[in-house]
Amino acid sequence: MTGRTDASAALFERGRAVTPGGVNSPVRAFNAVGGTPRFIRSAAGAWLTDVDGNEYVDLICSWGPMLLGHAHPEVQAAVTAAVARGTSYGTPTEPEVELAEEIVARAPVERVRFVSSGTEATMSAIRLARGFTGRDVVLKFAGCYHGHVDSLLASAGSGLATFALPGTPGVPESSTALTMVLPYNDRAAVEKAFAEHGDRIACLITEAAPGNMGVVPPEPGFNQFLAETCAKHGALFVSDEVMTGFRVSRRGQWGLDGAVEGWTPDLVTFGKVMGGGFPAAAFGGRADVMSRLAPEGPVYQAGTLSGNPIATTAGLTTLRLATDDVYAHIGAAADTIKTAAADELSKAGVAHVVQATGTMFSVFFSSTAARDFDDASRTDSKAYAAYFHAMLDHGVYLPPSAYEAWFLSAAHDDRAVQTVLDALPHAARAAAAAQENA
Ligand SMILES: *Cc1c(COP(=O)(O)O)cnc(C)c1O
């Protein structure tokens, strides 16, 4: 059992006095599960240490980036050496070229442009798609998250194939008036949208495999269908691999479907793993589309810290170390944990479905599989909150929301996995008790 939380609680109180909700990204605040977020002081390998000295096996991994585990010695050495050479010059640098080459070698893109966050990557990809096609409408799926881009913080209007409404105060209707939000995995809805608005659609953007509503994999052939439908109508297919890229396989989600089925997206967005724990992201794609970007073409896009030498060095070192062995190890650890989590929930009588793509998975507290956002929303978030806190009490830091993927790293060794396995029965019983009391 983990111990005191006084130091975290004190920092949370100070944080709330100077920062909205005490956090710099909402999900960190534990609003969905209650309680005090643990303030982390340090991390090494698979383990986090909080400011009270408690240790946790990390199943968040910074929401995906830490593929090799925390404070990997070779990444640390490369970054430290890079810092000693100065941290930002505002000129082109060698690591940018090397990281771009590494990405082009793995992913279905001919050119890449670096930015500093996944949000910037999707925002820029959409601008480029509109600039390239000369069209203005964007299709997205409910439950797919692409960062906090105004036009993508949209919720479905009433009925299919109508234009979207702002998903949050602060987004004007004019920003979502050109966005259509469709149910995921729904071919008929996609066909209807293209039939009605095909000649206005600049692009369709989708998570390559949704992980931001819990893991909801594309049905077999769905991404191929999207790519082909876009091509038929002269729209661009934008595959958002910010979460899945270099994470679910060495070539991302595309390595699991497009590379096998023989299709390529027009544009791809990257982030998370490719920054190796630093703020780096990218968008890339077909050379003829990417050449429309400034300074080669007329579509404007820029960034003071884009391609920052420290961030690109961390990303490059991470990707070079992300060998087939790394993915095989993470896959095996994920299988062990998935199976044990399901077994313990079954024993405790808690309805659940485990969904996965590649090495990324999540546990839905629901009796039926989720193929879209409506299904995913049926997860029992009260049971998850009880489950989450029991795991935390037993030294495992799960994502503090029922709608997130669980992430592992190459550093999740037998001791870390065993700690998770030991915690699971307690958590399953806590979830069962929460359902009985509901
Ligand atoms: C995390 C994420 C983003 C946003 O990236 P940020 O770096 O948080 O701006 C975009 N798309 C997907 C699929 C993501 O998972």
Side-chain angles (χ1 to χ4, degrees):
M1 297 286 279
T2 57
R4 304 167 67 93
T5 58
D6 315 27
S8 279
L11 276 175
F12 194 36
E13 199 177 311
R14 278 171 60 196
R16 275 185 296 192
V18 288
T19 299
V23 293
N24 287 296
S25 199
V27 72
R28 297 177 197 168
F30 278 25
N31 282 1
V33 292
T36 304
R38 306 303 194 258
F39 282 61
I40 300 304
R41 183 176 59 204
S42 66
W47 296 83
L48 302 171
T49 304
D50 73 12
V51 289
D52 290 286
N54 302 306
E55 294 195 342
Y56 307 90
V57 177
D58 183 12
L59 294 187
I60 301 178
C61 288
S62 187
W63 303 93
M66 308 318 297
L67 186 79
L68 304 175
H70 296 282
H72 188 285
E74 284 174 66
V75 177
Q76 231 171 23
V79 165
T80 306
V83 168
R85 294 190 294 268
T87 54
S88 182
Y89 324 120
T91 68
T93 61
E94 185 172 4
E96 292 163 84
V97 178
E98 293 191 298
L99 180 56
E101 287 169 349
E102 177 75 29
I103 291 173
V104 167
R106 286 184 181 229
V109 296
E110 295 173 318
R111 306 268 189 282
V112 285
R113 168 64 57 83
F114 292 123
V115 291
S116 299
S117 72
T119 296
E120 258 187 285
T122 58
M123 178 187 80
S124 305
I126 281 172
R127 181 180 311 140
L128 178 58
R130 285 174 162 157
F132 179 81
T133 58
R135 300 173 176 182
D136 52 12
V137 171
V138 172
L139 303 189
K140 81 174 286 285
F141 293 109
C144 281
Y145 176 69
H146 304 289
H148 59 99
V149 179
D150 275 5
S151 65
L152 300 177
L153 287 180
S155 51
S158 53
L160 288 183
T162 60
F163 287 88
L165 301 171
T168 170
V171 171
E173 275 173 33
S174 58
S175 290
T176 54
L178 296 170
T179 307
M180 295 178 71
V181 182
L182 308 176
Y184 191 66
N185 270 326
D186 187 336
R187 294 180 187 222
V190 173
E191 268 162 0
K192 184 165 189 285
F194 274 100
E196 290 178 7
H197 304 284
D199 58 351
R200 287 187 63 195
I201 298 171
C203 66
L204 180 152
I205 184 168
T206 182
E207 283 190 63
N212 283 294
M213 49 176 149
V215 176
V216 176
E219 287 175 354
F222 186 63
N223 281 331
Q224 178 168 24
F225 161 78
L226 297 178
E228 288 171 0
T229 305
C230 286
K232 201 160 77 187
H233 293 273
L236 299 189
F237 178 45
V238 184
S239 180
D240 182 354
E241 293 241 29
V242 170
M243 182 182 284
T244 51
F246 320 113
R247 158 64 63 186
V248 301
S249 87
R250 93 176 256 120
R251 317 183 85 178
Q253 177 65 28
W254 181 79
L256 305 177
D257 51 33
V260 183
E261 296 158 357
W263 53 268
T264 53
D266 299 299
L267 290 173
V268 188
T269 54
F270 306 99
K272 299 197 168 107
V273 169
M274 65 148 281
F278 282 79
F283 61 105
R286 278 165 45 188
D288 64 323
V289 178
M290 292 300 289
S291 69
R292 303 295 289 170
L293 266 189
E296 218 174 320
V299 178
Y300 190 70
Q301 191 280 330
T304 302
L305 290 176
S306 294
N308 171 271
I310 313 304
T312 47
T313 296
L316 178 65
T317 312
T318 298
L319 289 188
R320 284 187 176 161
L321 291 166
T323 57
D324 291 340
D325 286 350
V326 161
Y327 294 99
H329 173 89
I330 296 174
D335 285 345
T336 304
I337 291 175
K338 272 189 310 211
T339 307
D343 286 351
E344 295 302 337
L345 287 167
S346 296
K347 269 190 234 165
V350 178
H352 63 278
V353 181
V354 179
Q355 298 194 170
T357 185
T359 64
M360 192 174 94
F361 65 99
S362 61
V363 180
F364 289 92
F365 287 75
S366 159
S367 50
T368 49
R371 70 187 284 275
D372 64 17
F373 184 59
D374 280 351
D375 297 343
S377 305
R378 285 200 282 271
T379 199
D380 180 345
S381 45
K382 285 216 175 64
Y384 183 79
Y387 188 85
F388 167 86
H389 277 290
M391 293 296 280
L392 197 64
D393 287 345
H394 288 86
V396 180
Y397 211 131
L398 287 180
S401 158
Y403 302 99
E404 303 288 351
W406 300 17
F407 293 105
L408 299 173
S409 79
H412 283 69
D413 56 8
D414 290 347
R415 186 169 78 93
V417 170
Q418 192 58 50
T419 301
V420 177
L421 300 186
D422 291 344
L424 287 170
H426 301 281
R429 287 195 292 272
Q435 289 184 327
E436 274 158 29
N437 296 335

